[in-house]
Amino acid sequence: MTELRNLGLREVRVTGGFWERKIDMVAAEMLPYQWKALNDEVPGAEPSHAMENLRIAAGEKEGEFKGTVFQDSDVAKWLEAASYSLVHHPDPELEARVDEAIRIIAKAQRPDGYVNSYFIVASPEERWADLAWGHELYCAGHLIEAAVANYECSGKTLLLGVARRYADCIGRAFGPEPGKLRAVCGHPEIELALFRLYRATGEERYRDLASFFVDERGRDPSALEDKVPLAFEIPKTRWFRSDYFSGHAPVRLQRDAEGHAVRAVYLYSAMAEEYEASGDPALLAALRSLWDSVTGRRMYLTGGIGSQSHGERFTVDYDLPPDRAYAETCASIGLALWASRMTEIEGDGRYADVFERVLYNGVLSGVSLDGTSYFYVNPLEAEPRIAGARWDLEHVKTSRVRWLGCACCPPNLARIIASVGRYAYGASESSLWIHHYAESEARATVAGSRVLLRQRTDYPWGGKIEVLVDPEAPEGLDFGLKLRIPGWCGAFSCRVNGAAVEDSPVSKGYLELRRRWRPGDRVDLDLVMECRVLCADERISSLAGKVAVQRGPLVYCAEEVDDGPALHALSIDPAAPLRAEYLPDLMGGSVRVTAAGYREEAQAPEGEGRGGIPYAPLSVRREVPVAVRLVPYHQWGNRAPGGEMRVWLRARG
Amino acid sequence: MTELRNLGLREVRVTGGFWERKIDMVAAEMLPYQWKALNDEVPGAEPSHAMENLRIAAGEKEGEFKGTVFQDSDVAKWLEAASYSLVHHPDPELEARVDEAIRIIAKAQRPDGYVNSYFIVASPEERWADLAWGHELYCAGHLIEAAVANYECSGKTLLLGVARRYADCIGRAFGPEPGKLRAVCGHPEIELALFRLYRATGEERYRDLASFFVDERGRDPSALEDKVPLAFEIPKTRWFRSDYFSGHAPVRLQRDAEGHAVRAVYLYSAMAEEYEASGDPALLAALRSLWDSVTGRRMYLTGGIGSQSHGERFTVDYDLPPDRAYAETCASIGLALWASRMTEIEGDGRYADVFERVLYNGVLSGVSLDGTSYFYVNPLEAEPRIAGARWDLEHVKTSRVRWLGCACCPPNLARIIASVGRYAYGASESSLWIHHYAESEARATVAGSRVLLRQRTDYPWGGKIEVLVDPEAPEGLDFGLKLRIPGWCGAFSCRVNGAAVEDSPVSKGYLELRRRWRPGDRVDLDLVMECRVLCADERISSLAGKVAVQRGPLVYCAEEVDDGPALHALSIDPAAPLRAEYLPDLMGGSVRVTAAGYREEAQAPEGEGRGGIPYAPLSVRREVPVAVRLVPYHQWGNRAPGGEMRVWLRARG
């Protein structure tokens, strides 16, 4: 176990490039837009009622609760995101909205600390009565995460106080002691939040309560099964048994990722926290096995997880159909959160590789470039004519929507983008780690002294990264600078102050530069960013014979707007060179890749030897050479929404 | 409009070869087995209760109705099949069972002619109250069809009398006249049956009632919509609107095949009868358009129809995923029935081509070689590990079952196989037509005189057919003998009495030999039966880059028992020659096809450059040459049930 920990949000500042634009978009577009959505002020969008529910719970409005039972969590995630955003984008108007929302939540809190607008307004007699489906502790978790974020980012304590009182209320109700409820929430999240509250406050009782919830799950596999939800209908089928809740076995004995994908990766993230707290090797063994299950056998190329819409869940190994993918945006975010914690635990670049894969592909695809429309489901293949006509594709939307009745994803996107700096750097006792490349500054403590790191890069469009190293001590400081060499990178070069680095080892995915660093030292890392033609594991039957293109961390796709309709008729010649070019006018700046390929043309006249049926001798098949244009997957659907898209194309020859 | 009509069942006798074995199987295995199933005497099979329901309705037993509301129709279809079978396989024991079932049905009939065990036993107050979902007229239709078959095959009149009284009862209740119900059944079938009853009895009122039901459907598109079924639950979704019942538009205005596939093709068959009765060109236009819709854009290579399980229905053009096919056995049977009627109307081999395609592939696949297990759903690709793990493949069974709770298909299979001779020959004023090749004898009247035709052939294993022509008149008879040249056939030769036929035209799929035929004349037709590599229309996205093999009318498939697991890893070289060989020990005699192909092997060791994720540079992909063995699709799943199967394989190169 390394003692590697990520730097905190306040220690890292994104200063330019790809991510500054995304963070600016959160501040300028997403947060104001989402506030309107949460207040039902977006014309044509599905109503949220989330703020209204809280106002009613606070006694400031009359009315009925509306929306899902976990509607509060949308507000909490928005508060968390807004708190992050305010660090780098001070904005009095936004701050006033944040403070107003917090004031209402505080007012809604019951004297014993309880706060949940659904159970206060709609179902006051049912507190803790529907743990399987009520999302009560899930909402509590997001409230606590928002509180810690708000406290850490603003120094304000009102919401933190609310959260502490609520956590104490939960601690009085739940636990292993006689007279308390020995039970867990159907949707993990409280565990993560309590670990975070523990770290923010130092109060060990929060850690212990978090550990209790982690350890309790799956102890009695029937505990969450066949419960009748208070507020909605769930089919009583094999898809909603204990594994749906990751409650089919005690967590230390779990080996394969099962059930609802978001629930699973939130739980695994909490297990990682529990491992960091306890060092229990049984937890590490479970985490490693679950990691291999998720990322080795049940993950899409984009980092998306959950290959079945019904139950939003995992199925079996290598069942990864590109058209019927669920790959919920929130599941991708959860996988990123877990990957970051695994990076801390293992200090191994393979975890950061997955973080990068899912962030740049399966997470960012969830939001339009302007920040105001969203995908809940992220397929790797969209054929609108078919998707609109099939029951088994009803979950697939081929254009992003303005808001969702179940709007978990939009504010979740805002919070991960606004806090992306948290995941970029790490520090261990004698090393500083750069996990992710982004134009940014980081202030860290290593070997007992302060160091400023500054990155300049146009990553992910290019692979050149300049790192300026400034130890505070004028005489310099001995430490290792660990630079992640991504798994996608086949060749790289590195210079320190202009001199080529020849003999520094790459270990577990990191190039370690260990020396006395002096103020003004400069590192130039060049990750050679070639277009790569990838194939899938031969056990993924739906991808047999197909290839995808990746450049750097970005997975590419063909879109109808570039390549015409009937993308299935395209194949690419994987032996031909791929051409990449940065186009400043393409979606505000993007690298387009062009491949040599073929398009199958209409066949010989119908009726000839086939009586009008849609099958004919192969000899009638005709192909013409075409240039196949590809764009980054996360940017799809921004130019001509509702068009076709494909990540995996047939390889010809 | 030709005056072409099929010969009747009693005029044709199958005398050997492929179909004699199937008909023997019906007599020896299917009918006794199904009788047991209908009487709940098959251990381990889903109980039917169908005969018990009728005994209760007849007052011979006490008890409750059990099973689907259309359980009676299973008995009716069995009676129809048994009546056919008894013509060629006299069997006192089977005849006694038939007579016993008829006696019970007659006893169950109410004084006014009504007979339906569900509405008599379970819901006596609800007669005609649930036309959308109650299947009441559907069951009546199958009873009438059974009665006509029993009368025509045995000369007995008890069931025909029951049917006439029931038809009269329906005629008093339904019709365009004031005071009658102006409505149709949710499931077409009564229409077909009444046309048949009209032809058997000459009573025009049955034809008029049939025409009324045909014309009424879709007149008011809301008539069948949003009705609440009495006996079961149907989701109120877009999948169960008026188009589900083919009731979205008046039949003459329908152009695309929509809704439930079985309902649709039963209706189209009735529309064809109505056209034969009326000659209304608006009906012919609708029929031709619907034919092109079904067979040109919505039909699987096997003749299966219905590409969506939910609603057992059509979706949109070219949406034909091989793995998620529904392709219900009954829908294939319905398509065959319709194709035969279209052949009669148009005298065009393209309709008989589809009859042949669906009969030899999508129909026969529904029953095991021993006659005692059944597929309801007939996918073109089965991957048991995935099918068992996905909600959207829950309808796919990868081994045939002993019986079904909804057992429409097994007795429907028995009746079409037992009556297959009905579809083989046709007669028009001055021609005899051989639509289908099978070792058989036919006695027909043409040009005012009697002729005996005898076919000898091992079709479909071989393409050589010997036809002996024996006009009754010793001086011979002038007529045309029309021999179908199947659409699959690229080359053929024909000799009459040993002399090559050079100048006879092939028109609309038939070679016409017009001459004075004399007793003992002999025709030798040789349809060159090569293996053909087929591709799909370029608009079928799920089949892009794939090929299938067909030999004669038989579609082929790869099976795990021959080619190992992971059939998706196979590709075939479409340029290499295919080898066909008849193997007498393979499933009792079959032609196996061997193709040259490749199998993708396990990739380079995991982790190398990919951190354990299931994606890697294409350069690691490895293929080895293999011989790919293929067997006829309809025989799949007979040797090692539960294995993988694929019709469409990737084409390499």
Side-chain angles (χ1 to χ4, degrees):
Chain A
M1 185 150 100
T2 70
E3 290 165 30
L4 171 60
R5 296 293 299 189
N6 287 349
L7 300 188
L9 184 88
R10 298 193 67 99
E11 298 170 304
V12 180
R13 182 178 179 88
V14 173
T15 54
F18 183 91
W19 283 103
E20 186 184 49
R21 288 181 56 184
K22 296 290 176 200
I23 292 171
D24 287 352
M25 176 196 73
V26 171
E29 303 295 340
M30 283 180 88
L31 290 168
Y33 178 83
Q34 293 188 2
W35 177 254
K36 280 188 196 159
L38 294 170
N39 286 278
D40 311 309
E41 293 165 5
V42 176
E46 283 206 57
S48 159
H49 213 256
M51 281 305 303
E52 194 70 0
N53 290 334
L54 287 163
R55 289 190 187 96
I56 295 166
E60 299 198 342
K61 281 287 190 72
E62 297 282 317
E64 285 182 8
F65 181 93
K66 289 183 192 163
T68 70
V69 295
F70 47 90
Q71 213 74 343
D72 282 4
S73 64
D74 295 346
V75 175
K77 284 186 272 189
W78 180 88
L79 277 173
E80 186 180 341
S83 300
Y84 297 141
S85 182
L86 285 168
V87 173
H88 298 306
H89 287 88
D91 175 343
E93 192 177 348
L94 180 62
E95 189 170 358
R97 286 169 178 166
V98 167
D99 290 344
E100 167 70 358
I102 291 173
R103 185 192 65 75
I104 292 166
I105 292 168
K107 195 167 170 190
Q109 189 168 39
R110 303 292 95 166
D112 66 352
Y114 185 87
V115 53
N116 177 305
S117 77
Y118 174 77
F119 285 92
I120 289 172
V121 174
S123 218
E125 304 302 310
E126 311 285 356
R127 191 195 284 192
W128 315 138
D130 180 16
L131 289 168
W133 293 104
H135 290 72
E136 214 166 355
L137 294 169
Y138 168 85
C139 288
H142 277 300
L143 185 68
I144 292 166
E145 285 213 75
V148 173
N150 185 257
Y151 165 71
E152 290 180 342
C153 293
S154 73
K156 297 179 185 179
T157 58
L158 178 56
L159 193 59
L160 187 69
V162 170
R164 292 180 65 145
R165 285 190 296 280
Y166 195 7
D168 292 335
C169 165
I170 293 164
R172 290 191 299 274
F174 291 85
E177 302 86 1
K180 292 187 177 181
L181 283 164
R182 193 161 175 178
V184 300
C185 182
H187 198 315
E189 160 63 24
I190 186 70
E191 301 84 350
L192 274 181
L194 287 168
F195 279 119
R196 194 166 174 188
L197 185 61
Y198 154 65
R199 286 201 305 277
T201 63
E203 299 281 5
E204 292 183 356
R205 66 179 182 279
Y206 300 135
R207 182 197 63 196
D208 295 343
L209 186 58
S211 298
F212 160 74
F213 284 127
V214 170
D215 298 346
E216 180 63 19
R217 187 171 303 267
R219 192 183 54 79
D220 170 9
S222 71
L224 291 163
E225 213 161 72
D226 291 332
K227 304 295 186 238
V228 179
L230 287 175
F232 45 96
E233 266 186 65
I234 294 288
K236 279 201 167 185
T237 64
R238 62 173 169 147
W239 307 112
F240 297 94
R241 301 263 187 267
S242 59
D243 62 329
Y244 173 84
F245 308 96
S246 289
H248 51 292
V251 297
R252 287 167 181 75
L253 302 182
Q254 294 190 21
R255 290 296 177 267
D256 284 304
E258 309 291 359
H260 186 264
V262 179
R263 282 169 168 79
V265 286
Y266 277 34
L267 174 67
Y268 307 156
S269 297
M271 288 164 62
E273 299 269 3
E274 166 90 345
Y275 173 70
E276 289 181 287
S278 69
D280 181 351
L283 272 168
L284 185 59
L287 284 164
R288 286 175 171 169
S289 174
L290 291 165
W291 180 266
D292 289 343
S293 172
V294 171
T295 66
R297 303 187 296 276
R298 302 185 179 193
M299 182 181 77
Y300 286 96
L301 183 65
T302 55
I305 52 174
S307 53
Q308 176 169 302
S309 63
H310 194 64
E312 308 178 309
R313 58 178 289 147
F314 293 108
T315 57
V316 289
D317 289 350
Y318 307 109
D319 174 36
L320 294 161
D323 56 340
R324 287 167 287 153
Y326 200 70
E328 182 183 339
T329 306
C330 281
S332 291
I333 293 170
L335 176 57
L337 299 178
W338 181 32
S340 175
R341 285 170 172 85
M342 293 303 291
T343 306
E344 290 182 312
I345 290 174
E346 303 261 30
D348 188 329
R350 69 194 292 249
Y351 300 99
D353 281 351
V354 167
F355 179 97
E356 183 180 64
R357 175 176 297 281
V358 68
L359 182 69
Y360 279 105
N361 300 292
V363 170
L364 284 184
S365 60
V367 56
S368 61
L369 291 174
D370 69 1
T372 63
S373 59
Y374 307 95
F375 278 136
Y376 191 104
V377 166
N378 297 275
L380 280 78
E381 184 176 306
E383 200 179 342
R385 195 180 69 81
I386 303 291
R390 285 192 69 89
W391 159 82
D392 51 20
L393 292 171
E394 283 190 324
H395 60 292
V396 172
K397 302 287 171 272
T398 53
S399 52
R400 293 179 182 82
V401 297
R402 304 277 292 158
W403 200 249
L404 303 119
C406 172
C408 48
C409 303
N412 219 359
L413 279 159
R415 71 175 186 140
I416 195 165
I417 297 170
S419 63
V420 71
R422 283 169 80 188
Y423 306 100
Y425 295 89
S428 55
E429 199 177 320
S430 68
S431 297
L432 290 179
W433 304 57
I434 303 185
H435 301 310
H436 301 292
Y437 299 108
E439 190 134 316
S440 56
E441 297 176 358
R443 287 170 172 77
T445 299
V446 65
S449 185
R450 301 285 292 167
V451 177
L452 170 65
L453 296 177
R454 281 177 291 173
Q455 280 188 61
R456 285 178 56 190
T457 181
D458 65 349
Y459 199 88
W461 305 123
K464 288 188 164 53
I465 301 116
E466 172 190 303
V467 182
L468 299 174
V469 185
D470 269 314
E472 202 172 62
E475 72 280 15
L477 185 66
D478 289 321
F479 66 94
L481 181 64
K482 299 187 70 143
L483 303 169
R484 182 171 140 266
I485 307 302
W488 57 256
C489 181
F492 70 93
S493 63
C494 185
R495 286 172 293 145
V496 176
N497 297 327
V501 171
E502 304 288 0
D503 56 353
S504 292
V506 176
S507 169
K508 289 166 81 175
Y510 288 83
L511 172 69
E512 181 168 358
L513 304 174
R514 183 162 291 281
R515 64 199 298 275
R516 169 152 296 195
W517 295 98
R518 300 182 189 277
D521 278 352
R522 168 175 169 157
V523 177
D524 286 284
L525 178 65
D526 186 359
L527 305 171
V528 177
M529 199 171 265
E530 288 183 335
C531 297
R532 295 153 71 233
V533 177
L534 302 179
C535 65
D537 187 289
E538 72 284 353
R539 288 163 288 195
I540 303 177
S541 58
S542 51
L543 301 180
K546 294 187 175 174
V547 291
V549 170
Q550 189 174 326
R551 182 178 179 273
L554 301 179
V555 172
Y556 274 70
C557 67
E559 272 200 280
E560 182 173 346
V561 66
D562 291 317
D563 297 301
L567 298 177
H568 64 270
L570 295 176
S571 57
I572 69 174
D573 176 354
L578 295 155
R579 185 161 52 87
E581 55 184 332
Y582 183 81
L583 299 173
D585 295 332
L586 179 62
M587 292 182 274
S590 181
V591 170
R592 185 169 74 189
V593 171
T594 305
Y598 299 85
R599 176 177 272 280
E600 192 179 317
E601 295 272 280
Q603 297 169 354
E606 285 199 34
E608 188 186 319
R610 56 172 174 163
I613 68 170
Y615 308 100
L618 184 63
S619 52
V620 307
R621 186 173 274 176
R622 286 196 296 239
E623 288 190 316
V624 294
V626 291
V628 179
R629 280 175 292 185
L630 306 169
V631 295
Y633 170 77
H634 80 263
Q635 293 181 323
W636 88 273
N638 276 290
R639 288 169 293 167
E644 290 187 30
M645 180 277 295
R646 266 179 198 242
V647 169
W648 291 96
L649 299 171
R650 282 180 294 125
R652 186 168 185 276
Chain B
M1 186 149 104
T2 70
E3 289 164 29
L4 172 60
R5 297 292 301 189
N6 287 349
L7 300 189
L9 185 88
R10 297 193 67 98
E11 298 171 302
V12 180
R13 181 181 180 85
V14 172
T15 53
F18 183 91
W19 284 105
E20 184 183 50
R21 288 180 56 184
K22 295 292 178 201
I23 291 172
D24 287 351
M25 176 196 74
V26 171
E29 303 295 339
M30 285 180 88
L31 291 168
Y33 177 83
Q34 293 187 3
W35 177 255
K36 281 188 197 161
L38 294 170
N39 286 278
D40 310 309
E41 292 165 5
V42 176
E46 282 204 61
S48 160
H49 214 255
M51 281 305 303
E52 193 72 359
N53 290 333
L54 287 164
R55 289 190 189 97
I56 295 165
E60 299 198 340
K61 281 284 189 73
E62 297 281 317
E64 285 181 8
F65 181 94
K66 290 184 193 163
T68 68
V69 294
F70 47 90
Q71 213 74 344
D72 282 3
S73 63
D74 296 345
V75 175
K77 283 187 271 188
W78 181 86
L79 276 174
E80 187 181 341
S83 300
Y84 298 140
S85 181
L86 285 169
V87 173
H88 297 307
H89 288 88
D91 176 343
E93 192 178 348
L94 180 62
E95 190 171 354
R97 285 170 179 164
V98 167
D99 290 342
E100 167 70 0
I102 290 173
R103 186 191 64 77
I104 293 166
I105 291 169
K107 193 167 172 189
Q109 189 168 38
R110 303 290 96 165
D112 66 351
Y114 184 88
V115 53
N116 176 307
S117 76
Y118 174 77
F119 285 92
I120 289 173
V121 174
S123 221
E125 305 301 311
E126 311 283 355
R127 191 196 284 192
W128 315 137
D130 180 15
L131 288 168
W133 293 104
H135 290 70
E136 214 166 354
L137 293 170
Y138 167 85
C139 288
H142 277 301
L143 185 66
I144 292 166
E145 286 213 76
V148 173
N150 185 255
Y151 165 69
E152 291 180 340
C153 294
S154 73
K156 297 180 185 178
T157 57
L158 179 56
L159 193 59
L160 186 69
V162 170
R164 292 181 66 147
R165 284 191 297 280
Y166 195 7
D168 292 335
C169 166
I170 293 166
R172 290 190 300 274
F174 291 86
E177 301 86 1
K180 292 187 178 181
L181 284 164
R182 193 161 176 178
V184 300
C185 182
H187 199 314
E189 160 63 24
I190 186 69
E191 301 85 350
L192 273 181
L194 287 168
F195 279 118
R196 195 167 173 186
L197 185 61
Y198 155 65
R199 285 199 307 277
T201 64
E203 299 279 6
E204 292 184 356
R205 66 178 183 279
Y206 300 135
R207 183 197 64 197
D208 296 344
L209 186 57
S211 297
F212 160 74
F213 283 127
V214 170
D215 297 347
E216 179 64 18
R217 187 171 302 266
R219 193 184 52 81
D220 171 8
S222 71
L224 289 162
E225 213 162 70
D226 291 333
K227 304 296 186 238
V228 179
L230 288 174
F232 45 95
E233 268 186 64
I234 294 288
K236 279 200 169 187
T237 65
R238 62 173 169 146
W239 306 112
F240 298 94
R241 301 263 187 267
S242 59
D243 63 329
Y244 173 82
F245 307 97
S246 289
H248 52 293
V251 297
R252 286 166 182 76
L253 302 182
Q254 293 192 22
R255 290 295 178 266
D256 285 303
E258 309 290 358
H260 186 265
V262 179
R263 282 170 169 78
V265 287
Y266 278 34
L267 174 67
Y268 307 155
S269 297
M271 288 164 63
E273 299 268 2
E274 166 90 346
Y275 173 69
E276 288 180 287
S278 69
D280 181 350
L283 272 168
L284 185 60
L287 284 164
R288 285 176 172 167
S289 175
L290 291 166
W291 180 267
D292 289 343
S293 172
V294 171
T295 66
R297 304 189 295 276
R298 302 186 179 192
M299 182 182 76
Y300 286 96
L301 183 64
T302 55
I305 52 173
S307 55
Q308 175 168 301
S309 64
H310 194 64
E312 307 178 310
R313 59 177 289 147
F314 293 108
T315 57
V316 288
D317 288 348
Y318 308 110
D319 174 37
L320 293 161
D323 55 341
R324 285 167 287 152
Y326 200 68
E328 183 183 339
T329 307
C330 281
S332 291
I333 293 169
L335 176 56
L337 298 178
W338 181 32
S340 175
R341 285 171 173 82
M342 293 303 291
T343 306
E344 290 181 312
I345 290 174
E346 303 260 30
D348 188 328
R350 68 194 290 249
Y351 299 99
D353 282 353
V354 168
F355 180 96
E356 182 180 65
R357 175 176 298 282
V358 68
L359 182 69
Y360 279 105
N361 300 292
V363 170
L364 284 185
S365 60
V367 55
S368 61
L369 291 175
D370 68 1
T372 63
S373 60
Y374 306 96
F375 279 136
Y376 190 104
V377 167
N378 296 276
L380 280 76
E381 183 175 308
E383 200 178 342
R385 194 181 69 82
I386 303 292
R390 286 193 69 88
W391 160 83
D392 50 21
L393 293 171
E394 284 190 323
H395 60 292
V396 173
K397 301 288 171 274
T398 52
S399 52
R400 294 180 182 83
V401 297
R402 303 277 291 161
W403 199 249
L404 303 119
C406 172
C408 48
C409 303
N412 220 358
L413 280 160
R415 72 176 183 137
I416 195 166
I417 296 170
S419 63
V420 71
R422 284 170 78 189
Y423 306 100
Y425 294 89
S428 56
E429 198 178 322
S430 67
S431 297
L432 290 180
W433 305 58
I434 302 185
H435 302 308
H436 300 294
Y437 299 107
E439 190 134 316
S440 56
E441 297 176 359
R443 287 173 173 75
T445 299
V446 65
S449 187
R450 301 283 293 167
V451 178
L452 169 65
L453 297 177
R454 280 176 292 173
Q455 279 190 62
R456 285 179 57 191
T457 181
D458 66 347
Y459 198 89
W461 304 124
K464 289 188 166 53
I465 301 116
E466 172 191 303
V467 182
L468 299 175
V469 184
D470 270 311
E472 203 171 59
E475 72 279 14
L477 184 67
D478 288 322
F479 67 94
L481 180 64
K482 298 187 72 145
L483 302 170
R484 183 172 139 264
I485 307 301
W488 57 257
C489 181
F492 70 93
S493 62
C494 183
R495 286 174 292 148
V496 176
N497 297 327
V501 171
E502 303 289 358
D503 55 353
S504 292
V506 175
S507 170
K508 289 166 82 175
Y510 288 83
L511 172 69
E512 182 170 357
L513 305 174
R514 184 163 290 281
R515 64 199 301 274
R516 169 153 296 194
W517 294 97
R518 300 180 191 276
D521 277 352
R522 169 175 168 158
V523 177
D524 285 282
L525 177 66
D526 187 0
L527 305 171
V528 178
M529 199 173 262
E530 287 182 333
C531 296
R532 295 155 69 231
V533 177
L534 302 179
C535 66
D537 187 289
E538 71 284 353
R539 288 164 286 195
I540 303 177
S541 59
S542 51
L543 300 181
K546 295 188 175 173
V547 291
V549 170
Q550 190 174 325
R551 181 176 179 277
L554 300 179
V555 172
Y556 274 71
C557 68
E559 274 201 277
E560 182 172 347
V561 66
D562 291 317
D563 297 302
L567 296 178
H568 63 269
L570 294 177
S571 58
I572 69 175
D573 178 353
L578 295 155
R579 187 162 51 86
E581 55 185 329
Y582 183 80
L583 299 173
D585 294 334
L586 180 61
M587 292 181 275
S590 182
V591 170
R592 185 169 76 189
V593 171
T594 305
Y598 298 86
R599 175 176 273 281
E600 195 178 312
E601 297 270 279
Q603 297 169 353
E606 284 198 36
E608 187 187 316
R610 57 171 173 165
I613 68 169
Y615 309 100
L618 185 62
S619 53
V620 307
R621 188 174 272 178
R622 285 195 295 239
E623 288 188 316
V624 294
V626 291
V628 178
R629 279 175 292 185
L630 305 169
V631 295
Y633 170 76
H634 80 262
Q635 293 182 322
W636 89 272
N638 274 291
R639 288 169 294 168
E644 289 186 29
M645 181 277 295
R646 263 176 200 245
V647 168
W648 291 97
L649 299 171
R650 284 182 292 123
R652 187 169 185 276

